[in-house]
mmCIF file of all heavy atoms in Angstrom:
data_model
loop_
_atom_site.group_PDB
_atom_site.id
_atom_site.type_symbol
_atom_site.label_atom_id
_atom_site.label_comp_id
_atom_site.label_asym_id
_atom_site.label_seq_id
_atom_site.Cartn_x
_atom_site.Cartn_y
_atom_site.Cartn_z
ATOM 1 N N MET A 16 -44.260 45.243 13.291
ATOM 2 C CA MET A 16 -45.282 46.143 13.852
ATOM 3 C C MET A 16 -46.112 46.674 12.753
ATOM 4 O O MET A 16 -47.341 46.766 12.799
ATOM 5 C CB MET A 16 -44.619 47.246 14.693
ATOM 6 C CG MET A 16 -44.099 46.620 16.002
ATOM 7 S SD MET A 16 -43.185 47.961 16.868
ATOM 8 C CE MET A 16 -44.374 49.165 17.258
ATOM 9 N N LEU A 17 -45.524 47.173 11.597
ATOM 10 C CA LEU A 17 -46.217 47.740 10.549
ATOM 11 C C LEU A 17 -47.137 46.540 9.910
ATOM 12 O O LEU A 17 -48.197 46.817 9.664
ATOM 13 C CB LEU A 17 -45.274 48.217 9.429
ATOM 14 C CG LEU A 17 -45.893 48.830 8.122
ATOM 15 C CD1 LEU A 17 -46.641 50.015 8.583
ATOM 16 C CD2 LEU A 17 -44.776 49.226 7.167
ATOM 17 N N VAL A 18 -46.574 45.539 9.533
ATOM 18 C CA VAL A 18 -47.480 44.336 9.033
ATOM 19 C C VAL A 18 -48.627 43.966 9.901
ATOM 20 O O VAL A 18 -49.726 43.702 9.407
ATOM 21 C CB VAL A 18 -46.555 43.204 8.633
ATOM 22 C CG1 VAL A 18 -47.349 41.883 8.368
ATOM 23 C CG2 VAL A 18 -45.461 43.496 7.636
ATOM 24 N N SER A 19 -48.400 43.898 11.189
ATOM 25 C CA SER A 19 -49.399 43.527 12.112
ATOM 26 C C SER A 19 -50.675 44.570 12.124
ATOM 27 O O SER A 19 -51.743 44.259 12.439
ATOM 28 C CB SER A 19 -49.023 43.375 13.587
ATOM 29 O OG SER A 19 -48.574 44.593 14.053
ATOM 30 N N CYS A 20 -50.385 45.769 11.709
ATOM 31 C CA CYS A 20 -51.356 46.909 11.674
ATOM 32 C C CYS A 20 -52.147 46.774 10.459
ATOM 33 O O CYS A 20 -53.237 47.465 10.460
ATOM 34 C CB CYS A 20 -50.763 48.219 11.987
ATOM 35 S SG CYS A 20 -50.104 48.390 13.536
ATOM 36 N N MET A 21 -51.761 46.149 9.460
ATOM 37 C CA MET A 21 -52.369 46.111 8.147
ATOM 38 C C MET A 21 -53.394 45.083 8.036
ATOM 39 O O MET A 21 -53.238 43.984 8.584
ATOM 40 C CB MET A 21 -51.302 46.012 7.065
ATOM 41 C CG MET A 21 -50.275 46.964 6.893
ATOM 42 S SD MET A 21 -48.912 46.601 5.842
ATOM 43 C CE MET A 21 -49.792 46.684 4.266
ATOM 44 N N SER A 22 -54.539 45.383 7.537
ATOM 45 C CA SER A 22 -55.629 44.432 7.479
ATOM 46 C C SER A 22 -56.020 44.216 5.935
ATOM 47 O O SER A 22 -56.645 45.058 5.401
ATOM 48 C CB SER A 22 -56.811 44.830 8.233
ATOM 49 O OG SER A 22 -57.885 44.027 7.999
ATOM 50 N N PRO A 23 -55.634 43.239 5.243
ATOM 51 C CA PRO A 23 -55.989 43.065 3.896
ATOM 52 C C PRO A 23 -57.518 42.951 3.591
ATOM 53 O O PRO A 23 -57.952 43.342 2.568
ATOM 54 C CB PRO A 23 -55.269 41.678 3.438
ATOM 55 C CG PRO A 23 -55.094 40.926 4.706
ATOM 56 C CD PRO A 23 -55.015 42.033 5.764
ATOM 57 N N SER A 24 -58.249 42.521 4.470
ATOM 58 C CA SER A 24 -59.702 42.346 4.270
ATOM 59 C C SER A 24 -60.485 43.307 5.217
ATOM 60 O O SER A 24 -61.453 43.108 5.730
ATOM 61 C CB SER A 24 -60.033 40.956 4.638
ATOM 62 O OG SER A 24 -59.886 40.611 5.847
ATOM 63 N N SER A 25 -60.034 44.494 5.408
ATOM 64 C CA SER A 25 -60.630 45.531 6.299
ATOM 65 C C SER A 25 -62.037 45.848 5.682
ATOM 66 O O SER A 25 -62.164 46.000 4.453
ATOM 67 C CB SER A 25 -59.875 46.728 6.472
ATOM 68 O OG SER A 25 -59.625 47.399 5.212
ATOM 69 N N PRO A 26 -63.021 46.081 6.402
ATOM 70 C CA PRO A 26 -64.372 46.345 5.885
ATOM 71 C C PRO A 26 -64.485 47.679 5.239
ATOM 72 O O PRO A 26 -63.637 48.654 5.563
ATOM 73 C CB PRO A 26 -65.219 46.381 7.192
ATOM 74 C CG PRO A 26 -64.326 46.583 8.333
ATOM 75 C CD PRO A 26 -63.042 46.003 7.847
ATOM 76 N N LYS A 27 -65.312 47.877 4.311
ATOM 77 C CA LYS A 27 -65.530 49.143 3.611
ATOM 78 C C LYS A 27 -66.031 50.175 4.529
ATOM 79 O O LYS A 27 -66.914 49.861 5.332
ATOM 80 C CB LYS A 27 -66.374 48.912 2.385
ATOM 81 C CG LYS A 27 -65.860 48.045 1.318
ATOM 82 C CD LYS A 27 -66.747 47.913 0.225
ATOM 83 C CE LYS A 27 -66.132 47.075 -0.924
ATOM 84 N NZ LYS A 27 -67.131 46.939 -2.035
#
Side-chain angles (χ1 to χ4, degrees):
M16 290 173 62
L17 179 64
V18 170
S19 70
C20 292
M21 298 170 70
S22 175
S24 61
S25 62
K27 293 181 179 180

